[in-house]
């Protein structure tokens, strides 16, 4: 009987799984879920949300309860009104959210750099584009997911207690959700770009905070030196606050549509480009 | 299975791998990629595993260019150099992600993970975090990762670095077993003894150039400039008297109780030596080839090309 050469068992079916970008996003989400950082920020944002809902109920009472009528003038002076109030629903898009994005997003790419995971991923059927989409998607989905309740819950509560004439406009989600999408993409791109430049997750956090605060300071410096207000289009914190104001049609937003669009496109383009360059296979040396 | 046709790799102005040509056949077996640090081993492995495109020439794995080619990447497994893994992460979770990146899911993924862990002997310890694993255990998990999708080609870059002798032997046994099952294993190392223990078939790289390819004996025979050294143990004077009459003799050195011959074309002289010893014409008690090993081959080749 001849001796046959050994043959491998049939290979498993490799076409059943999800797209690689989705797998990587799920993995990052599961990792975040297991960390304690989520509990701290969950508590902090919950408190802010409860205050927002309380304010909406107070405004409803002021409008409908005759006994509180004498306080209306005072309340109008203290609480924001109209479009400014609608835009104010997204107040968390300030330093607290930036801090969360820095803490989580700063490690997204840097962790893989530290542990040299990317060569392994690229040796699987994962392209650099899949990787970038996953990281950018996750870093952007995080602020979007945090801000989503701040849009929907006040809106739903206002509709429930006061119908179409409540403190929150019935059309508010249509105006605020696009703003949330834009500012989330801005935050995600900056976080991933900064993380791609760092060698460790901690350094990544530093990079994100440094970039956000550094460009904000730079914008203020340029404005102070030249008197050119448009320089604030470089300020990512201000950009994130401006988009809700623009979408709800506030009379005096921090800046106009054109500088806001230009500044946001500049940041998203630049940091996505940096992240794409830094996550190429040639950077992922074995 | 693998063919390189004048494939080279540049990192900007630095030449990582000079134009290199070789082929590895289909089927199982172990090939050692040997060379000192900076010889171009990792560059070659980067080309083969599709991480980088060649700067010149052509690389083909399974008949196709591997760079960003899912059809090729799905059939090869890579174990890169290094030992850094996310310390707080559980090995089974990491393996699951790697399996999903290969396109596995559901029951097929579970089965593949169980099989890979069984193969590397880590089935009962995969729930541990990487921080709680020894270096050898982490290396086995990295190997399991490469085996999840049932690759036909397994590429390992310096897999024995930092392993204790027991873990090293265990890993060698495992690689031999995989090769026996039909997997083509390509393993790089800068330590001669590791490769010599693992396989006889080598690719020898030095300063970004492929110096030799084949078995140690085949390569040694090609080294005409370096006569083979044979130590004949017995009565030195009688042995020397017989040796000087041989036309292949290049040099002779007397030692206590032995004589060391430097001979060209040992294939010619060895049958005559055997006949003389059998006929009792020379008092031969032992015959030791001194430089037919990988160490000597490596020394000669690198000296010639330095």
């Amino acid at each position: 009987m001849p001796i046959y050469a050994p043959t491998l068992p049939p290979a498993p079916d490799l076409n059943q799984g999800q797209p690689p970008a989705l797998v990587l996003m799920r993995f990052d989400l599961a990792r975040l879920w297991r960390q304690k950082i989520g509990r701290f920020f969950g508590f902090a944002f919950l408190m802010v949300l409860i205050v927002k809902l309380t304010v909406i109920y107070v405004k409803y009472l002021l409008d409908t309860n005759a006994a509180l009528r004498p306080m209306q003038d005072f309340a109008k002076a203290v609480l924001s009104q109209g479009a400014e109030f609608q835009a104010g629903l997204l107040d968390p898009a300030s330093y607290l959210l930036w801090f969360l994005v820095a803490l989580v997003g700063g490690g997204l790419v840097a962790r893989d750099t530290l542990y040299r995971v990317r060569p392994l991923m690229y040796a699987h059927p994962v392209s650099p584009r899949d990787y970038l989409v996953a990281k950018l998607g996750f870093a952007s989905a995080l602020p979007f997911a945090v801000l989503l309740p701040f849009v929907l819950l006040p809106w739903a509560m206002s509709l429930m207690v006061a119908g179409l004439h409540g403190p929150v406009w019935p059309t508010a989600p249509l105006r605020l959700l696009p703003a949330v999408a834009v500012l989330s993409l801005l935050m995600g791109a900056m976080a991933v770009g900064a993380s791609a430049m760092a060698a460790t997750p901690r350094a990544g956090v530093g990079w994100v905070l440094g970039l956000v605060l550094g460009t904000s300071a730079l914008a203020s410096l340029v404005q102070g030196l030249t008197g050119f207000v448009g320089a604030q289009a470089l300020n990512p914190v201000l950009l994130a606050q401006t988009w809700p104001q623009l979408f709800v049609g506030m009379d005096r937003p921090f800046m106009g549509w054109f500088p806001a669009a230009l500044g946001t496109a500049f940041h998203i383009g630049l940091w996505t480009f940096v992240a794409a360059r830094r996550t190429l296979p040639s950077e992922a040396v074995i | 299975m693998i063919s390189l046709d004048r494939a080279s790799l540049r990192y900007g102005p630095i030449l990582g791998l000079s134009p290199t040509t070789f082929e590895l056949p289909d089927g199982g077996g172990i090939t050692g990629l040997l060379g000192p640090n900076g010889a171009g081993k990792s560059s070659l492995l980067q080309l083969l595993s599709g991480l980088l495109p060649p700067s010149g020439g052509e690389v083909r794995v399974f008949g196709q260019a591997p760079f960003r080619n899912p059809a090729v990447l799905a059939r090869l497994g890579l174990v890169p150099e290094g030992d850094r893994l996310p310390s707080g992460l559980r090995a089974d979770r990491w393996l699951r992600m790697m399996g999903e990146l290969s396109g596995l899911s559901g029951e097929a993924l579970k089965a593949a993970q169980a099989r890979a862990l069984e193969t590397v002997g880590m089935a009962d310890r995969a729930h541990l975090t990487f921080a709680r694993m020894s270096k050898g255990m982490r290396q086995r998990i990295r190997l399991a990762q490469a085996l999840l999708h049932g690759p036909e080609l397994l590429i390992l870059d310096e897999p024995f670095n930092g392993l204790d002798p027991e873990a090293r032997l265990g890993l060698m046994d495992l690689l031999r077993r995989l090769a026996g099952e039909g997997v083509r294993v390509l393993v790089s190392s800068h330590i001669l003894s590791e490769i010599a223990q693992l396989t006889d078939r080598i690719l020898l790289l030095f300063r970004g150039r492929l110096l030799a390819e084949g078995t140690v004996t085949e390569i040694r025979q090609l080294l005409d400039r370096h006569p083979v050294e044979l130590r004949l143990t017995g009565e030195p004077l009688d042995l020397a008297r017989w040796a000087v009459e041989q036309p292949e003799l290049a040099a002779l050195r007397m030692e206590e109780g032995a004589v060391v011959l430097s001979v060209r074309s040992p294939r010619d002289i060895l049958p005559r030596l055997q006949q003389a010893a059998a006929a009792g014409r020379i008092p031969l008690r032992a015959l030791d080839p001194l430089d037919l090993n990988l160490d000597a081959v490596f020394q000669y080749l690198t000296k010639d090309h330095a």
Side-chain angles (χ1 to χ4, degrees), chain B:
Chain B
M1 180 174 280
I2 293 174
S3 72
L4 269 76
D5 183 12
R6 296 191 58 74
S8 63
L9 183 62
R10 281 188 170 278
Y11 302 98
I14 300 168
L15 187 63
L17 186 68
S18 295
T20 300
T21 301
F22 75 88
E23 282 190 14
L24 285 186
D26 285 341
I30 302 178
T31 302
L33 187 56
L34 186 66
N37 291 328
K41 302 186 297 293
S42 293
S43 298
L44 179 57
L45 296 187
Q46 282 173 341
L47 289 178
L48 294 176
S49 54
L51 287 177
L52 294 176
S55 307
E58 191 180 55
V59 179
R60 298 191 87 76
V61 179
F62 304 118
Q64 300 178 53
F67 181 62
R68 293 191 191 178
N69 186 343
V72 173
L73 298 179
R75 295 171 68 185
L76 68 82
L78 173 68
V79 182
E81 189 187 1
D83 176 46
R84 285 177 287 185
L85 287 163
S87 54
L89 189 63
R90 276 173 48 168
D92 51 356
R93 289 176 176 153
W94 187 70
L95 283 176
R96 196 179 313 141
M97 179 190 72
M98 287 299 176
E100 287 184 86
L101 288 179
S102 291
L104 293 164
S105 70
E107 288 305 312
L109 174 60
K110 278 184 191 169
Q113 192 168 332
R115 192 176 56 244
L117 286 168
E118 190 69 41
T119 303
V120 300
M122 289 290 291
D124 54 342
R125 286 168 288 180
H127 62 283
L128 297 175
T129 60
F130 287 117
R132 295 177 64 195
M133 288 185 174
S134 68
K135 202 161 190 172
M137 290 162 78
R138 286 198 293 271
Q139 191 64 293
R140 282 169 178 266
I141 292 294
R142 287 158 65 84
L143 183 56
Q145 163 277 136
L147 296 174
L148 275 175
H149 52 292
E152 295 158 58
L153 171 64
L154 188 60
I155 296 174
L156 302 100
D157 193 9
E158 307 273 4
F160 306 108
N161 274 4
L163 295 186
D164 62 43
E166 193 182 346
R168 193 171 298 181
L169 290 174
L171 186 58
M172 283 180 184
D173 281 344
L174 185 53
L175 295 180
R176 282 192 205 101
R177 188 150 36 99
L178 288 167
E181 288 168 5
V183 178
R184 164 66 61 185
V185 180
L186 184 59
V187 53
S188 83
S189 176
H190 61 274
I191 299 173
L192 295 171
S193 58
E194 286 177 354
I195 295 294
Q197 272 180 278
L198 196 58
T199 179
D200 191 37
R201 180 157 288 276
I202 58 168
L203 294 167
L204 213 154
L205 285 170
F206 185 64
R207 293 185 182 171
R209 290 157 65 188
L210 182 65
L211 295 191
E213 176 205 351
T215 65
V216 174
T217 315
E218 285 167 359
I219 296 171
R220 183 64 186 86
Q221 282 169 3
L222 296 173
L223 293 172
D224 296 337
R225 288 178 55 188
H226 301 278
V228 174
E229 289 201 330
L230 301 172
R231 178 189 281 128
L232 310 184
T233 307
E235 178 51 49
L237 281 175
D238 291 342
L239 289 170
R241 205 167 291 131
W242 175 85
V244 293
E245 293 170 358
Q246 308 306 316
E248 293 86 1
L249 186 70
L252 185 146
R253 189 171 76 244
M254 304 292 282
E255 290 183 353
E256 194 176 332
V259 60
V260 176
L261 312 182
S262 291
V263 294
R264 296 187 189 88
S265 60
R267 279 188 174 190
D268 295 333
I269 196 172
L270 283 174
R272 289 206 299 278
L273 179 67
Q274 195 178 7
Q275 285 169 4
R281 292 200 298 275
I282 52 171
L284 180 66
R285 289 205 304 276
L287 168 65
D288 298 306
L290 295 182
D291 58 355
L292 280 175
N293 55 21
L294 183 55
D295 195 10
V297 166
F298 185 76
Q299 295 292 340
Y300 290 148
L301 280 170
T302 52
K303 206 183 291 176
D304 287 350
H305 287 78

Side-chain angles (χ1 to χ4, degrees), chain A residues 23-103:
Chain A
V23 172
L24 291 173
M25 284 173 73
R26 270 190 23 239
F27 185 74
D28 280 327
L29 179 65
R31 183 160 53 188
L32 177 65
W33 194 253
R34 290 192 293 269
Q35 292 173 347
K36 289 174 185 168
I37 186 177
R39 291 177 216 164
F40 166 74
F41 280 101
F43 175 76
F45 283 115
L46 183 65
M47 289 298 109
V48 178
L49 186 59
I50 288 172
V51 170
K52 294 274 177 200
L53 295 175
T54 307
V55 168
I56 287 168
Y57 193 64
V58 167
K59 279 175 83 80
Y60 161 70
L61 288 178
L62 285 169
D63 288 342
T64 55
N65 195 328
L68 298 174
R69 200 147 288 166
M71 297 174 68
Q72 273 187 345
D73 290 339
F74 172 72
K76 279 181 182 172
V78 174
L79 300 173
S80 57
Q81 305 293 319
E84 190 183 351
F85 176 73
Q86 315 299 317
L89 293 175
L90 295 183
D91 274 351
S94 58
Y95 288 99
L96 185 62
L97 189 55
W98 276 110
F99 195 51
L100 170 66
V101 169
L103 282 181

Side-chain angles (χ1 to χ4, degrees), chain A residues 104-263:
Chain A
V104 176
L108 278 180
V109 179
R111 185 175 290 105
D112 294 341
T113 306
L114 175 65
Y115 295 115
R116 289 183 166 188
V117 177
R118 274 197 298 283
L120 271 179
M121 289 178 176
Y122 292 156
H124 289 74
V126 179
S127 70
R129 182 182 292 179
D130 292 329
Y131 182 83
L132 187 63
V133 166
K135 298 299 172 180
L136 203 56
F138 181 74
S140 303
L142 181 68
F144 191 90
V146 170
L147 290 177
L148 199 59
F150 286 88
V151 175
L152 296 181
L153 288 183
W155 170 73
M157 182 177 164
S158 174
L159 278 182
M160 277 193 294
V161 298
L164 295 176
H165 302 290
V168 180
W169 296 343
T171 57
L174 294 177
R175 294 163 179 265
L176 291 177
L177 285 180
V180 172
V182 175
L183 70 90
S184 296
L185 197 57
L186 170 68
M187 289 178 164
M190 287 200 77
V192 172
S195 182
M197 291 193 288
T200 66
R202 280 186 188 177
V205 175
W207 267 101
V208 180
L209 291 176
L211 281 182
V212 171
L213 299 177
T215 47
S216 302
L218 180 69
S220 300
L221 188 70
V222 173
Q223 186 189 354
L225 289 174
T226 63
F228 177 53
V229 185
Q232 286 296 342
L234 274 179
N235 184 335
V237 178
L238 209 63
L239 283 171
Q241 289 173 325
T242 301
W243 280 109
Q245 297 175 350
L246 291 172
F247 273 98
V248 298
M250 251 178 70
D251 290 336
R252 289 184 180 175
F254 290 138
M255 65 186 89
W257 280 95
F258 182 68
L262 199 64

